[in-house]
Amino acid sequence: MSKNIQPKLTSAEYESTLKRLERFSHFTDSSIGIPFTKFNIGLEAVIGLVPVIGDAAGLILSSYVLIEAQRLGVSKRIKTKMIINMLIDFVGGLVPFFGDIFDAFFKANTRNTQLLKKHLNKQLSE
C-alpha cells in the first residue's frame, strides 16, 4: 500500500492558509470585546454557555484548524498536540460556570494556529 504524499505547497499557499486560520481563530477566540476591559472572547466562548451542546459545537469548530493541518501534510506529532489542545478546551468547558471562564482564557484555536504557524515557518526555512 502506498502512502498518500501531500503535494509541495507554495509559500503563497501557506501564507493564504495561515491568514485564513488567523481570521478564524480571532473570530472564534477573541472577536468580542468585554466592555471596560482589554479582554476579548470569541464565538466559541459564547456558544460554550449552552451546556454540553455548546462545548461539542466548539469542538467541531476547532477541528477546522486540524483539518487544515492535515491538508498541509503536517506531522503526526503536531496534529497530536493540536488534538490535545482541543480536548483540554472541550473537557475544561464542560465544568459548569468555571468551564465558561476557562474557555474564554484557553483559546485552543489560537494556540493551534500558532502551533501550525511555527511549524510551517520552520519547514519553510529549512
Side-chain angles (χ1 to χ4, degrees):
M1 194 184 293
S2 67
K3 241 183 173 179
N4 184 13
I5 299 173
Q6 295 287 337
K8 191 80 171 157
L9 297 175
T10 67
S11 114
E13 290 170 314
Y14 280 126
E15 286 297 318
S16 172
T17 300
L18 286 175
K19 283 184 187 205
R20 189 172 55 252
L21 289 173
E22 285 171 345
R23 282 192 308 271
F24 171 79
S25 295
H26 176 75
F27 181 69
T28 58
D29 291 342
S30 308
S31 60
I32 304 166
I34 305 296
F36 310 110
T37 73
K38 294 181 180 182
F39 190 72
N40 295 322
I41 62 172
L43 177 67
E44 199 170 313
V46 173
I47 64 174
L49 293 171
V50 178
V52 184
I53 296 169
D55 296 307
L59 183 63
I60 291 167
L61 279 173
S62 293
S63 67
Y64 173 63
V65 181
L66 183 63
I67 290 166
E68 285 291 342
Q70 175 66 31
R71 187 181 71 79
L72 294 172
V74 171
S75 71
K76 186 176 182 178
R77 188 178 125 264
I78 298 298
K79 289 185 286 191
T80 300
K81 287 182 178 183
M82 293 174 133
I83 291 168
I84 290 169
N85 283 338
M86 291 166 60
L87 291 174
I88 290 169
D89 189 49
F90 175 71
V91 172
L94 291 175
V95 178
F97 182 70
F98 293 107
D100 300 319
I101 294 169
F102 177 80
D103 269 345
F105 281 93
F106 190 70
K107 302 182 186 297
N109 296 321
T110 299
R111 287 173 187 264
N112 284 344
T113 298
Q114 290 303 316
L115 186 64
L116 181 59
K117 184 177 183 176
K118 182 179 173 185
H119 175 75
L120 293 176
N121 285 336
K122 184 179 174 185
Q123 256 188 344
L124 287 175
S125 67
E126 290 177 354

